[in-house]
Amino acid sequence: MYTRCLFCHASLPANDTFEGLDTGKSFAFDSERGRLWVICGPCRRWNLIPIEARWENLEALEKIARDEARLLLQTDNIALLRVGEVDLVRVGRANLPEEAWWRYGRELTGRRAQFRRLSITMGALTGAVALGGFTVGIGVLGVLGLGPVLQTIAREVKFGPTAWRGAATCSSCGSVLREIQFQNTNRVVLAQQENGFELRYRCHRCQIDTLNAGHRLSGISAEHLLRRILAYRHYDGANENQVKASTAVIEEIGSARDLTQRLALQRIHLGELPRPYALALEIAINEETERRLLELEAAELEARWREEEELAAIVDEELTFVPRLLRALPGTSSAQN
């Protein structure tokens, strides 16, 4: 295996995920044509692995792609998969169910663990105070109800008080909304729009009901605000049971995109969403954002694959040409036969 990229000479990172492929965090393979590449992170070029090192690894990667990998996205020509921290580009459709949203469930449980560590740290710092000759520990802080206070402090430091700043004109009276505070985001309504969803916010001047008029945000602004609101609400993450309940919601409805569309059709206040649906919506909106990025990446990878396949075909032809030529020369055993 290579230790450096053949094109930019950057070091390839160590990899202990796959036996036999000890360097590289991203691989592309085509079992049908017998191609295997390690993809350089810095320059994104594909390094064709020598023929003698391919066949066993190709068989192993095919099995891993079928049994262990998570399918992120597939097109007619390639499939993007992930195994642990390693990315795979499989030439050809994988014919597996796409589950790009699964990683956000893992992110929520990781966020919860991170928040618990932060709470313990803050509790240790603020809890070492004398109270009637006793030291207030973390457990006492919980009894005193200071856990939510610590959560609020940490969340305010991370997000600040303002959820959105910009300019949104009321469709009824023409007043301009300049910002939305997090403390008022429970009144934000998720509603359906022709090409997706929009967020609606009640106008304080004309007092038109939020469901029918008021300030409206769409496109990237709406998506960004919705992601911030949900991340703010779920700053403390979720436990495994909550994540399972949320992903069950997505599976029952059909897909992450279907969930967002159904909730938008119901025109519901974000503050009224039950927690499993709110967590599922955060997973869904993040999945949709990444899907668009993955589609761009897939298009780029397809173009790169076509270029590298042409080069690989030439290289492999040259590597096999000399043995064929030698076998055809007079005096050789194959020629005599």
Side-chain angles (χ1 to χ4, degrees):
M1 282 293 296
Y2 305 122
T3 58
R4 291 184 175 275
C5 174
L6 298 176
F7 301 93
C8 72
H9 306 294
S11 296
L12 297 172
N15 168 37
D16 56 4
T17 303
F18 305 139
E19 184 178 354
L21 298 173
D22 51 5
T23 56
K25 291 294 186 181
S26 184
F27 299 91
F29 66 101
D30 181 346
S31 298
E32 183 177 346
R33 293 183 176 87
R35 316 275 198 243
L36 176 58
W37 299 267
V38 56
I39 303 174
C40 174
C43 74
R44 306 302 297 168
R45 292 299 301 270
W46 293 23
N47 297 263
L48 185 65
I49 292 176
I51 289 179
E52 62 271 14
R54 291 183 205 168
W55 297 109
E56 289 186 3
N57 287 320
L58 280 171
E59 292 179 4
L61 286 176
E62 194 67 51
K63 185 176 186 302
I64 289 170
R66 183 180 64 250
D67 299 338
E68 301 178 32
R70 296 277 188 170
L71 179 64
L72 303 182
L73 183 75
Q74 58 185 344
T75 69
D76 290 337
N77 297 308
I78 63 171
L80 306 182
L81 307 104
R82 177 158 296 173
V83 184
E85 300 300 322
V86 177
D87 293 324
L88 295 178
V89 180
R90 183 187 182 278
V91 177
R93 291 180 65 87
N95 295 321
L96 297 171
E98 293 182 11
E99 298 180 354
W101 48 264
W102 71 275
R103 288 190 297 143
Y104 290 102
R106 188 175 64 178
E107 179 183 323
L108 285 167
T109 55
R111 194 188 303 170
R112 182 174 182 84
Q114 183 180 19
F115 173 74
R116 289 176 65 87
R117 290 193 298 269
L118 178 63
S119 298
I120 290 173
T121 301
M122 295 182 67
L125 293 174
T126 60
V129 296
L131 182 62
F134 295 96
T135 298
V136 180
I138 297 172
V140 178
L141 285 175
V143 174
L144 294 177
L146 295 183
V149 175
L150 296 178
Q151 176 180 341
T152 300
I153 293 173
R155 185 165 54 189
E156 290 297 324
V157 169
K158 181 176 179 64
F159 290 95
T162 305
W164 171 85
R165 285 191 179 93
T169 303
C170 176
S171 57
S172 297
C173 69
S175 66
V176 178
L177 178 69
R178 297 295 182 184
E179 65 179 33
I180 299 176
Q181 299 291 308
F182 275 114
Q183 62 184 1
N184 298 322
T185 54
N186 282 347
R187 299 203 301 266
V188 172
V189 169
L190 175 67
Q192 190 178 36
Q193 192 187 44
E194 183 177 355
N195 296 320
F197 70 88
E198 66 180 8
L199 297 181
R200 301 178 182 179
Y201 190 75
R202 184 174 185 177
C203 177
H204 291 289
R205 176 182 291 182
C206 65
Q207 297 297 313
I208 298 296
D209 185 82
T210 307
L211 291 177
N212 301 308
H215 304 285
R216 299 186 178 189
L217 298 176
S218 60
I220 297 299
S221 296
E223 181 182 294
H224 183 66
L225 175 57
L226 181 58
R227 293 178 69 189
R228 278 180 59 80
I229 291 173
L230 294 170
Y232 181 88
R233 288 184 63 182
H234 306 142
Y235 175 71
D236 58 341
N239 59 39
E240 290 188 6
N241 289 334
Q242 291 171 327
V243 169
K244 288 179 181 178
S246 299
T247 53
V249 169
I250 297 175
E251 292 173 344
E252 181 180 354
I253 291 177
S255 71
R257 181 175 296 182
D258 291 339
L259 171 68
T260 304
Q261 292 176 347
R262 181 174 297 188
L263 292 177
L265 186 63
Q266 294 175 1
R267 299 196 303 176
I268 189 170
H269 286 80
L270 294 182
E272 297 175 356
L273 272 177
R275 185 169 176 83
Y277 281 83
L279 288 169
L281 181 59
E282 181 179 358
I283 292 171
I285 196 65
N286 279 295
E287 188 272 342
E288 183 65 23
T289 300
E290 175 157 348
R291 175 174 294 277
R292 290 198 300 271
L293 296 175
L294 284 173
E295 287 172 351
L296 293 175
E297 182 179 352
E300 181 181 345
L301 284 171
E302 279 208 33
R304 175 65 68 185
W305 160 64
R306 294 183 191 280
E307 295 175 1
E308 299 297 340
E309 170 55 32
E310 291 180 6
L311 180 60
I314 294 172
V315 170
D316 283 356
E317 177 67 18
E318 289 179 347
L319 291 175
T320 57
F321 174 73
V322 173
R324 291 205 312 271
L325 179 61
L326 291 176
R327 287 196 300 269
L329 288 175
T332 63
S333 59
S334 58
Q336 292 171 353
N337 293 335

